[in-house]
Amino acid sequence: MRHIPFFRWVLTVGVTLFACSAGLYAMESDAEQPATRQIDLAVVHEKADGTCRVRWSDPYEKKTREGPYHCDPGRSDSLKAPNYGDSRGYGWESGFMYTEGPDRGDLYDVEAPVEEDLSTSDTLLLLGVLLILTGLVGGNLRALPRVLGVEARLVRRAVRLAEAAGWASEDHARAVDAVRDAERQGELGAAPDPELVRALWVLREAGPQAHEAAAIARDLADRLRPLLEEAAPAAGLRARLQAGPAARADAEAAVGELRRLLADAERQGLRERFAQTSVDLLRGQDADRAALAAGADFERDPEEYRRLLEDLVPLEPAARPAPPRRRRWRR
């Protein structure tokens, strides 16, 4: 299945939105401060927290106005009533009055809460940061299994399969060579050579399925060997970090092919089949017991032994694929 860089695209979109937000901030002029001028305020009433009610002269409407305000509670006590020398018993505060716009004549209260809507640049900034975080976290979580060894476990499974295939092919080649070596020393005449009979008995007991399994094992081992060489950088974190970009790309492709071969092998039960073939071909290791069983079986069907010998002797020496070097793939 082709890898889709989803989180990479999410990260790209996030960076793009972030850049657009920065551009809008740069294009927007700084918010202009309202046009005001400083005036004197008479503090009619004041609380300890600075909440107060003040009066001031509005030159635009030409009248005295009164309204709430946020006085500075930390100003000198001499400016507060009744210490301030106002005949009316008021305190004093300084403030700013709008000189332009529809609010002309009103007080500009810097302490009053202001509700501001999110601008376009703010919205783009929030979305950009969210997408950038999603892309970074999601991309790293997606890559984490590969770094922590999912591919390494797959390579080790492929190595074990290649070993099983190599041993099955080697055991079959050894059994065939044993027949040929014994045939040079004896024959299946009136007094058949016991060693030749025993060597043939091993192949006869293993059956034609052993020959088929060995052929499949040789083909599979030949296909796995170069793939395992290319997949070496995926066998561990250290190997991955030491490999170059080209080697890592080749390793990814090799791992994909190994995954397909492993799926096929598991579906066909090849690893168990190779193991059983090796077990069947190793039955002749107990020479005494194998000789007795082979002699009794030969007496029952000597012609079958002769046909088997005729099928094997004309053939060239069986190929002996080198077993995979398992130690190389250990982490």
Side-chain angles (χ1 to χ4, degrees), residues 60-126:
Y60 304 106
E61 295 186 3
K62 299 184 176 1
K63 67 178 182 179
T64 299
R65 298 177 59 181
E66 182 176 320
Y69 193 70
H70 289 81
C71 297
D72 179 12
R75 71 187 190 282
S76 175
D77 290 339
S78 62
L79 301 177
K80 300 178 183 180
N83 299 327
Y84 183 67
D86 186 283
S87 59
R88 298 166 297 181
Y90 297 159
W92 180 88
E93 177 64 287
S94 175
F96 291 88
M97 180 180 65
Y98 291 109
T99 59
E100 294 180 357
D103 297 327
R104 187 175 65 169
D106 292 343
L107 291 181
Y108 172 62
D109 194 346
V110 295
E111 299 294 334
V114 179
E115 295 184 0
E116 294 184 356
D117 295 331
L118 286 177
S119 64
T120 302
S121 57
D122 294 331
T123 303
L124 292 178
L125 178 63
L126 291 176

Side-chain angles (χ1 to χ4, degrees), residues 3 19 74 87 104 109 188 242 264 299 328:
H3 172 70
S87 59
R104 187 175 65 169
D109 194 346
L188 296 179
Q242 291 176 347
D264 292 341
E299 291 179 359
R328 180 173 183 175

Side-chain angles (χ1 to χ4, degrees), residues 8-312:
R8 190 180 305 168
W9 284 109
V10 171
L11 181 61
T12 301
V13 173
V15 172
T16 302
L17 292 180
F18 187 89
C20 292
S21 174
L24 288 178
Y25 273 120
M27 293 172 60
E28 291 175 354
S29 59
D30 294 336
E32 295 182 357
Q33 294 294 330
T36 61
R37 68 182 179 91
Q38 192 171 10
I39 59 173
D40 292 334
L41 302 175
V43 181
V44 178
H45 177 71
E46 182 176 1
K47 295 183 180 179
D49 61 356
T51 303
C52 59
R53 191 168 186 83
V54 298
R55 287 180 181 174
W56 73 98
S57 176
D58 185 350
Y60 304 106
E61 295 186 3
K62 299 184 176 1
K63 67 178 182 179
T64 299
R65 298 177 59 181
E66 182 176 320
Y69 193 70
H70 289 81
C71 297
D72 179 12
R75 71 187 190 282
S76 175
D77 290 339
S78 62
L79 301 177
K80 300 178 183 180
N83 299 327
Y84 183 67
D86 186 283
S87 59
R88 298 166 297 181
Y90 297 159
W92 180 88
E93 177 64 287
S94 175
F96 291 88
M97 180 180 65
Y98 291 109
T99 59
E100 294 180 357
D103 297 327
R104 187 175 65 169
D106 292 343
L107 291 181
Y108 172 62
D109 194 346
V110 295
E111 299 294 334
V114 179
E115 295 184 0
E116 294 184 356
D117 295 331
L118 286 177
S119 64
T120 302
S121 57
D122 294 331
T123 303
L124 292 178
L125 178 63
L126 291 176
L127 288 177
V129 171
L130 180 61
L131 290 177
I132 289 173
L133 291 176
T134 302
L136 290 175
V137 175
N140 282 283
L141 290 177
R142 185 172 187 173
L144 190 62
R146 294 199 298 271
V147 174
L148 295 183
V150 168
E151 292 182 352
R153 289 195 293 271
L154 184 140
V155 171
R156 289 196 293 271
R157 286 170 52 206
V159 169
R160 290 193 291 269
L161 177 62
E163 286 180 342
W167 297 133
S169 178
E170 175 72 10
D171 291 336
H172 184 266
R174 188 181 298 111
V176 173
D177 287 347
V179 171
R180 292 174 180 145
D181 292 342
E183 192 271 339
R184 296 189 188 99
Q185 305 296 327
E187 58 182 15
L188 296 179
D193 180 62
E195 191 65 25
L196 178 57
V197 172
R198 185 177 66 84
L200 288 169
W201 174 79
V202 171
L203 290 172
R204 175 173 162 79
E205 285 296 302
Q209 62 271 17
H211 176 74
E212 180 183 357
I216 296 175
R218 280 194 297 272
D219 178 68
L220 183 60
D222 290 341
R223 297 172 65 184
L224 287 175
R225 193 173 300 112
L227 290 174
L228 288 173
E229 292 289 342
E230 293 182 1
L237 179 58
R238 179 181 299 178
R240 178 182 291 276
L241 295 177
Q242 291 176 347
R248 286 197 295 267
D250 292 341
E252 293 292 337
V255 166
E257 183 64 17
L258 286 175
R259 185 176 290 110
R260 187 185 66 81
L261 290 177
L262 283 172
D264 292 341
E266 290 177 358
R267 186 165 54 251
Q268 300 176 33
L270 291 183
R271 186 178 173 190
E272 294 78 8
R273 186 177 177 184
F274 295 155
Q276 185 60 48
T277 298
S278 294
V279 171
D280 293 340
L281 291 171
L282 293 176
R283 290 178 179 176
Q285 289 186 343
D286 188 345
D288 294 336
R289 182 176 298 178
L292 291 175
D297 189 58
F298 177 78
E299 291 179 359
R300 284 196 299 269
D301 194 358
E303 291 302 322
E304 183 63 27
Y305 277 77
R306 293 188 176 92
R307 284 194 294 269
L308 181 59
L309 181 61
E310 290 175 358
D311 292 338
L312 294 175

